[in-house]
Amino acid sequence: MAKKPDKVRRSEEEWRKALPPETFEVCRRQGTERAFSGRYWSSKEPGLYHCAACGAPLFDAAEKFDSGTGWPSFTAPVDETAVEGRVDQSHGMLRTEAVCAVCDSHLGHVFPDGPGPGGRRYCMNSAALQHERREKGGAEGE
Ligand SMILES: [Zn+2]
């Protein structure tokens, strides 16, 4: 069993100082970037996507797919405990909000129409993600 990650907690003022404005807007104020405006929606680079606020690993690029929505989309998180789902009834819709399990940052939403075996579509904001390219042959033993 994967152990639950330790929580990162900061005041909103601390987050505001620590994060770029667009990341603060998405992660801490439940904002949504404009479709096709983010840096990752069309990216096919291999590697790992981390939380832009706290650095926790969230998604593997291998789970990324082209959803046609203009937002980076994934079929599953890197670990089932990495991303938490919460009921979101804002804007007159019933949706599942996706938040970082470590720092509670807003990432995007999860929809039940994904192409993978789990049938899920993690519709994320680029501003909430930080991509880390995995170098070939860079594997290190523990
Ligand atoms: Zn986080």
Side-chain angles (χ1 to χ4, degrees), residues 134-140:
R134 201 177 291 149
E135 299 300 335
K136 260 205 275 184
E140 285 163 336

Side-chain angles (χ1 to χ4, degrees), residues 8 15 27-28 50-58 82 99-107 128:
V8 168
W15 282 122
C27 289
R28 308 310 309 180
H50 297 256
C51 173
C54 75
L58 299 177
V99 302
C100 171
V102 173
C103 71
D104 293 330
S105 282
H106 174 82
L107 305 169

Side-chain angles (χ1 to χ4, degrees), residues 40 45-51 55-62 74 78 129-134:
Y40 295 137
E45 293 272 321
L48 209 53
Y49 288 87
H50 297 256
C51 173
L58 299 177
F59 296 99
D60 193 306
F74 303 85
V78 69
L129 301 174
Q130 180 66 51
H131 178 259
E132 178 196 24
R133 203 187 154 83
R134 201 177 291 149

